[in-house]
């Protein structure tokens, strides 16, 4: 039993990171119908910029803030320079553009910073907390709390603010949103900034546990994408649940079946979900446009 | 949109002429090596032209089939005692069978869903290849036996160096593959594929069995990828799970779309560019990823149909 609890706790920690990446996917997908494969690079940038800013002598909270703002700026630049000019391009082109962006960001990071593995100290020490025979790192609680806080803020944003509703309206029908006076270009810029900032926050929170280097983004992007698909593309609740579910599933596979195949489990389940219910757990029913 | 740049004969003629004439300008045997890599990639990409360009379906997992073809050449000779050439055929059959089984459920999906499902399939294949270390040697890879055709040629008086042989052999395979793909384009199957690319509903209305033809395109492109993997394994005489990896799948799709997924010649041009780019950039190795990412973005933003069709458009546009 403590074993099960242990796997569950570590699964939820990893799952919270996947959920944050998946939320990033969801925000951009809703605003622009683009699946941004560079989403994982935002997580990497969050971690790496914090590492180098704090190495330059800045206090950790300030370094993390700079990392999040800088990554948000990079997200906006990505939208302005690569996504907006390609508006209306076919899905294959958009996939290649965002994968190209991801490779570009990775290449730039390795030039600007380095190829080493880095970490910075955990926020509240490394003393594990005992829960019913299992242990959890204080930093894991930070990660989980971070994911929940982001989800809650997004919920407030989308349901309680005018601009949040403008984003929802754009997601629902771009042309109709423009007709009622919503600046959809601004909505897209905002979505990329938010999505990048959330990714960077995930990077800041998780780096003390998983460490970071210039090439951690791709794996995170694939897992986050998978989590978003599992929950139903475009649904924030689905992203959260999909992420946590995926994390727990991986931890259980690693614990009870084979640690080598923990990544396989995620993709097997995703294939199964796609075949059985292609819209994911919380997705909308498809409507074919003829 | 699919466009024909030139008739079948012209495409084949250009391709064969370039392959035959290029060696006269090669300053060293290293160029033969790069050339044969281009042809091997070109073959896989020609398969993707059928899937992406003709049928309009995407796959981010075709490196999985390349992996199956490659490891068939490594494993079948050891465990089944097969000749490497037969092993390559076995690999192609196996890839076709797996594509048939996986393709049926996968191809019901569209757009990003199809992308993630095929991606998942590719990742599973590469994971099996790197984890079953007692069989495949794991991430360290394994040796592949000699094809033996070069010795046969030598016996009949054609003495080629190793790199020259593989240049000629994979060049021949590419021309053959391009010929088959171009024939398919003009066949009833090709017309059905293009029809369902244009509009699935319209194709269904005129009696095209959409699910069947998508599957046909998927299986054929899997065979191309598998043969390409086999050729790579045989010429390198060594193989690692990277051949089935996600990045290889992405490279393949990028090559196809970069040159122009609607045309065989364009896609092969894409393969040539993306295969030579890292060789040229070895001087600035640190900038390789930066440049690759930049090229991918710029071409897709400014030349949506890919290099060759876009350039052809522009030239034609000037005449009008």
């Amino acid at each position: 039993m403590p074993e099960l609890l242990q796997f569950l706790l570590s699964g939820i920690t990893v799952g919270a990171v996947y959920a944050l990446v998946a939320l990033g996917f969801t925000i951009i997908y809703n605003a622009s119908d683009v699946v941004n494969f560079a989403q994982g690079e935002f997580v990497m940038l969050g971690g790496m910029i914090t590492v180098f800013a704090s190495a330059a002598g800045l206090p950790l909270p300030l370094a993390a803030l700079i990392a999040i703002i800088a990554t948000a700026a990079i997200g906006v630049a990505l939208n302005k320079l690569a996504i907006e000019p390609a508006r209306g391009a076919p899905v294959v082109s958009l996939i290649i553009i965002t994968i190209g962006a991801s490779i570009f960001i990775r290449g730039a990071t390795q030039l600007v910073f380095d190829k080493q593995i880095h970490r910075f100290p955990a926020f509240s020490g490394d003393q594990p907390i005992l829960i019913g025979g299992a242990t959890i790192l204080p930093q894991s609680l930070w990660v989980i709390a971070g994911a929940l806080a982001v989800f809650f803020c997004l919920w407030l944003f989308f349901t309680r603010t005018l601009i949040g509703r403008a984003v929802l309206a754009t997601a629902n029908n771009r042309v109709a949103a423009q007709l009622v006076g919503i600046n959809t270009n601004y909505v897209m810029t905002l979505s990329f900034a938010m999505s990048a900032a959330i990714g960077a926050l995930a990077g800041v929170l998780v780096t003390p546990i998983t460490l970071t280097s210039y090439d951690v983004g791709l794996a995170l992007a694939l897992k986050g994408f998978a989590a978003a698909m599992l929950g139903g593309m475009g649904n924030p609740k689905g992203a959260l649940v999909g992420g946590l579910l995926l994390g727990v599933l991986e931890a259980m596979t690693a614990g009870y079946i084979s640690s080598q195949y923990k990544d396989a489990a995620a993709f097997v389940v995703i294939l199964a979900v796609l075949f059985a219910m292609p819209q994911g757990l919380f997705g909308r029913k498809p409507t074919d446009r003829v | 949109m699919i466009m024909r740049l030139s008739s079948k004969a012209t495409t084949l003629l250009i391709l064969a002429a370039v392959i035959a004439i290029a060696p006269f300008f090669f300053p060293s045997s290293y160029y033969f090596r790069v050339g044969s890599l281009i042809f091997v990639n070109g073959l896989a990409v020609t398969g993707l032209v059928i899937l992406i360009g003709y049928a309009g379906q995407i796959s981010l997992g075709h490196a999985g089939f390349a992996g199956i073809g490659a490891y068939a050449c490594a494993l079948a000779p050891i465990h089944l005692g097969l000749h490497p050439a037969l092993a390559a055929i076995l690999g192609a059959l196996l890839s076709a069978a797996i594509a048939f089984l996986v393709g049926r459920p996968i191809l019901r999906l569209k757009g990003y869903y199809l992308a993630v499902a095929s991606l998942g399939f590719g990742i599973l294949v590469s994971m099996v290849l790197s984890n079953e270390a007692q069989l495949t040697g794991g991430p360290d890879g394994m040796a592949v036996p000699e094809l033996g055709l070069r010795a046969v040629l030598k016996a009949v008086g054609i003495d080629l160096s190793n790199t020259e042989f593989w240049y000629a052999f994979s060049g021949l395979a590419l021309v053959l593959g391009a010929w088959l793909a171009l024939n398919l384009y003009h066949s009833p199957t090709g017309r059905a594929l293009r029809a369902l690319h244009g509009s699935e509903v319209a194709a269904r209305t005129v009696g095209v069995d959409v699910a069947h033809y998508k599957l046909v395109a998927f299986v054929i492109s899997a065979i191309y990828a598998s043969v390409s993997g086999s050729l790579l394994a045989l010429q390198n005489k060594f193989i690692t799970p990277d051949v089935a990896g996600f990045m290889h799948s992405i490279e393949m799709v990028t090559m196809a779309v970069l040159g122009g997924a609607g045309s065989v010649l364009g896609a092969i041009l894409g393969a040539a560019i993306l295969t030579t780019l890292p060789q040229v950039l070895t001087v600035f190795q640190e900038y390789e990823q930066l440049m690759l990412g930049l090229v991918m973005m710029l071409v897709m933003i400014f030349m949506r149909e890919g290099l060759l069709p876009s350039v052809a458009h522009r030239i034609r546009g000037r005449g009008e």
Side-chain angles (χ1 to χ4, degrees), chain A residues 33-35 81-82 85-89 91-93 95-97 99-101 103-104 106-108 110-111 218 222 225 229 233 260-261 263-264 267 271 274-275 278, chain B residues 58 60 105-106 108-110 112-113 115-117 119-121 123-124 127-128 131-132 201 246-247 250 253-254 257 286-287 289-290 292-294 296-297 300-301 304:
Chain A
D33 281 335
V34 171
V35 169
L81 300 176
R87 170 144 290 282
V91 169
V92 187
S93 308
I95 290 177
I96 291 181
I97 288 173
I99 290 178
I103 297 175
F104 179 81
R106 215 178 307 151
Q110 128 196 2
L111 281 175
L218 181 64
L222 293 184
F225 182 26
M229 281 281 179
M233 203 70 208
Q260 285 177 322
Y261 281 104
D263 298 326
F267 285 102
L271 284 178
L274 284 178
F275 295 158
Chain B
I58 192 180
L60 296 184
I106 277 187
R108 281 195 322 209
L109 306 167
K110 289 193 180 78
Y112 289 115
Y113 291 93
V116 76
L119 179 157
F121 163 75
I123 287 184
L124 288 179
M127 222 174 276
V128 169
N131 284 341
E132 296 305 314
V201 179
F246 175 67
M247 276 318 285
I250 295 302
V253 174
T254 308
V257 182
E286 286 135 50
Y287 294 89
Q289 290 209 323
L290 198 74
L292 177 65
L294 202 59
M296 286 166 76
M297 287 193 284
M300 282 302 102
I301 293 169
R304 288 192 191 171

Side-chain angles (χ1 to χ4, degrees), chain B residues 211-226:
Chain B
H212 169 77
Y213 280 106
K214 278 187 192 174
L215 192 61
V216 168
F218 193 70
V219 170
I220 294 175
S221 63
I223 295 174
Y224 272 86
S226 177

Side-chain angles (χ1 to χ4, degrees), chain B:
Chain B
M1 200 193 93
I2 301 166
M3 48 169 296
R4 267 176 64 206
L5 280 171
S6 50
S7 72
K8 192 175 85 185
T10 337
T11 300
L12 288 174
L13 216 61
I14 293 175
L15 191 63
V18 169
I19 294 174
I21 294 170
F24 292 107
F25 301 96
F26 286 172
S28 74
S29 70
Y30 168 72
Y31 287 77
F32 284 97
R33 163 83 182 143
V34 177
S36 56
L37 279 180
I38 291 175
F39 303 153
V40 165
N41 285 331
L43 193 64
V45 170
T46 306
L48 283 183
V49 167
I50 296 170
L51 187 68
I52 301 176
Y54 295 4
Q57 308 298 308
I58 192 180
S59 165
L60 296 184
H62 258 52
F65 297 115
I68 292 170
Y71 274 86
C73 284
L75 292 171
I78 304 174
H79 296 284
L80 305 174
L82 284 180
H83 186 275
L86 287 175
I89 294 170
L90 180 73
L93 289 175
L94 191 64
S95 290
I98 293 176
F100 181 78
L101 291 175
V102 177
R104 203 164 265 285
I106 277 187
L107 291 164
R108 281 195 322 209
L109 306 167
K110 289 193 180 78
Y112 289 115
Y113 291 93
L114 178 59
V116 76
S118 57
L119 179 157
F121 163 75
I123 287 184
L124 288 179
V125 172
S126 77
M127 222 174 276
V128 169
L129 291 177
S130 43
N131 284 341
E132 296 305 314
Q134 67 278 26
L135 191 65
T136 63
D140 296 336
M142 69 183 298
V144 179
E146 174 79 47
L147 179 61
L149 187 61
R150 195 157 70 93
V152 177
L153 284 178
K154 198 172 180 177
V156 296
I158 306 170
D159 191 7
L160 294 171
S161 78
N162 192 44
T163 45
E164 286 167 358
F165 169 75
W166 280 107
Y167 180 89
F169 192 69
S170 40
L172 214 61
L174 179 61
V175 174
L176 187 69
W179 177 66
L180 290 173
L182 289 167
N183 273 342
L184 185 76
Y185 186 87
H186 298 286
S187 73
T189 305
R191 279 195 291 274
L193 291 177
R194 283 181 281 152
L196 78 88
H197 185 181
S199 159
E200 284 190 25
V201 179
R204 205 174 284 131
T205 333
V206 293
V208 174
D209 185 348
V210 170
H212 169 77
Y213 280 106
K214 278 187 192 174
L215 192 61
V216 168
F218 193 70
V219 170
I220 294 175
S221 63
I223 295 174
Y224 272 86
S226 177
V227 173
S228 146
S230 295
L231 287 175
L232 186 72
L234 288 169
Q235 83 172 69
N236 287 351
K237 297 193 190 65
F238 192 79
I239 202 74
T240 67
D242 284 347
V243 69
F246 175 67
M247 276 318 285
H248 191 211
S249 286
I250 295 302
E251 275 169 22
M252 277 158 62
V253 174
T254 308
M255 284 171 183
V257 182
L258 185 74
S263 96
V264 172
L265 206 56
I268 294 172
L269 180 72
I273 293 172
L274 227 58
T275 313
T276 12
L277 194 66
Q279 316 285 342
V280 179
L281 289 177
T282 41
V283 198
F284 326 90
Q285 211 186 352
E286 286 135 50
Y287 294 89
E288 191 190 319
Q289 290 209 323
L290 198 74
M291 294 298 291
L292 177 65
L294 202 59
V295 168
M296 286 166 76
M297 287 193 284
L298 288 179
V299 172
M300 282 302 102
I301 293 169
F302 296 110
M303 303 179 169
R304 288 192 191 171
E305 293 168 79
L307 271 176
L308 199 57
S310 295
V311 171
H313 251 301
R314 219 153 281 176
I315 292 169
R316 244 174 254 167
R318 214 178 288 156
E320 273 159 22

